[in-house]
Amino acid sequence: PVLSDVHRACLATQPALQETRAAVGESATMMSAVQSVYSEDVVEHIGTASSLGLVSRVHGQSDEELDSDDDSQDDDYQDSLPEHSARVCWLALAEEKGKDDAVPVEMLKVVDRAFLHGDIVAAAKDALGQTGTVVGVRMEVDVHKQGCNEAAALRVPSSRLQHIRPFRPGHYVVHSNWLGRVEEVMDHVVVRFQDGSMCRVSHATPDRLIPSSPGS
């Protein structure tokens, strides 16, 4: 009879243990989802895959992890971010200052995460474990033809590609012993006419030159 009572007691505790394991598993899953999105990640909304955005903040992120530019934001704006969510600035609304959304992290899919030489990183499965330093980066891209959504080439090494314009605003350049940053680019265009004559247009802007169809 004593053994029977013990056996019944063990059976009675099994549902409680199963509920505890389920709760722990659910908590671990949620934590994994929260840690799967980080600041400066490029993400898309699972419901609308065509919408791309940049994560500016994740719930629980300390102020030390933010850029100095974010220090100007008030405390009410920071505290308004719900738990298990991230603040995303959608590229379609980038021109409208302050247009961003608080989105649950389970509704976000990371499509790009930039790594730079010297970044301190850890394995995604063990963020608090062994850390390392990025010493090399290999980037692969999918190339689409202009005006076509279908990819013309998949996983092309970025080292095999180059920009059509060699200098663009934001690029860092070297002149003699000086390091500088491109602030503005001016185009000088040579126009050839049908009779063979040519004309050089300095600082050609859309206000001075417009595309023209053949024969017009």
Side-chain angles (χ1 to χ4, degrees):
V2 175
L3 291 177
S4 299
D5 292 340
V6 173
H7 182 65
R8 283 195 295 270
C10 291
L11 291 177
T13 58
Q14 284 183 358
L17 290 175
Q18 291 175 354
E19 292 178 0
T20 302
R21 293 193 187 100
V24 172
E26 182 179 356
S27 177
T29 301
M30 180 62 71
M31 287 299 295
S32 176
V34 171
Q35 295 299 322
S36 64
V37 177
Y38 298 89
S39 294
E40 299 185 1
D41 280 351
V42 178
V43 296
E44 66 180 14
H45 198 284
I46 293 178
T48 54
S50 60
S51 300
L52 291 178
L54 183 67
V55 177
S56 60
R57 184 181 177 92
V58 179
H59 176 80
Q61 185 178 22
S62 64
D63 293 336
E64 288 78 6
E65 296 177 287
L66 298 174
D67 294 335
S68 58
D69 294 340
D70 295 332
D71 294 340
S72 60
Q73 298 179 350
D74 54 33
D75 294 336
D76 293 338
Y77 180 78
Q78 303 285 10
D79 297 338
S80 64
L81 189 61
E83 189 176 3
H84 304 318
S85 62
R87 190 168 299 282
V88 181
C89 180
W90 299 107
L91 300 184
L93 304 176
E95 296 180 357
E96 303 180 32
K97 186 177 180 180
K99 290 293 184 179
D100 53 15
D101 292 323
V103 184
V105 292
E106 62 267 20
M107 296 301 297
L108 297 174
K109 177 183 177 182
V110 178
V111 296
D112 187 32
R113 178 174 293 157
F115 292 102
L116 300 177
H117 291 78
D119 283 351
I120 305 299
V121 295
K125 296 181 179 180
D126 188 13
L128 299 179
Q130 181 68 41
T131 61
T133 304
V134 176
V135 297
V137 178
R138 173 185 171 90
M139 181 184 296
E140 295 180 341
V141 301
D142 294 343
V143 180
H144 293 253
K145 291 183 179 180
Q146 188 172 4
C148 180
N149 292 328
E150 296 182 1
L154 300 177
R155 305 193 66 174
V156 179
S158 60
S159 58
R160 296 177 55 189
L161 304 174
Q162 64 180 7
H163 292 287
I164 297 177
R165 300 179 63 177
F167 301 106
R168 297 188 303 167
H171 281 183
Y172 288 93
V173 293
V174 175
H175 176 69
S176 185
N177 295 328
W178 292 85
L179 173 65
R181 185 173 182 270
V182 177
E183 296 291 342
E184 184 181 5
V185 177
M186 294 179 292
D187 292 325
H188 303 302
V189 179
V190 176
V191 181
R192 182 188 298 273
F193 297 97
Q194 293 181 352
D195 60 0
S197 60
M198 294 185 297
C199 174
R200 184 177 186 271
V201 181
S202 299
H203 198 185
T205 63
D207 296 333
R208 305 186 64 184
L209 288 177
I210 59 175
S212 178
S213 58
S216 61

